[in-house]
Amino acid sequence: MELEERSASAARLFDVRRVIGLLFVVYGVLVTLAGIFVSDENLRKAQDININLWTGLSMLALGLLFLLWLRLSPTVPPPAPGEGPRMRPPAGE
């Protein structure tokens, strides 16, 4: 039973949605900050479009969507050898 719980927590820990979501959130924050603290000269070079700000906010939103997806649809670990297929627990538990 303990091995099964450890396997479930390892499956959740290494879910690719968590890694991608966290990376997008971190990079989104950094690029958004670069967009907030842009100089007027660099803004003029980009024809007054703050691309860092828009890209950073988009990356932040995408990262949060990945994390929301992970929260709403958690990973179900594979069944142990010799065990039948597992049923996914109800969403409220």
Side-chain angles (χ1 to χ4, degrees):
M1 189 68 169
E2 180 183 335
L3 181 61
E4 194 173 303
E5 289 175 12
R6 291 175 72 195
S7 174
S9 64
R12 277 187 239 105
L13 180 64
F14 294 111
D15 191 353
V16 73
R17 294 175 293 181
R18 179 184 313 266
V19 174
I20 292 172
L22 288 175
L23 283 175
F24 268 103
V25 166
V26 169
Y27 290 145
V29 167
L30 292 175
V31 174
T32 301
L33 288 174
I36 290 172
F37 297 112
V38 68
S39 68
D40 290 333
E41 179 184 339
N42 286 338
L43 197 55
R44 271 194 311 274
K45 286 181 188 177
Q47 299 175 353
D48 292 329
I49 298 172
N50 197 344
I51 194 69
N52 282 340
L53 181 64
W54 291 110
T55 303
L57 290 174
S58 300
M59 291 173 72
L60 194 58
L62 182 65
L64 292 174
L65 283 174
F66 267 94
L67 295 176
L68 179 66
W69 178 25
L70 177 69
R71 178 80 173 164
L72 294 177
S73 177
T75 304
V76 179
E83 205 177 281
R86 291 181 77 161
M87 294 298 292
R88 190 168 167 177
E93 293 182 21

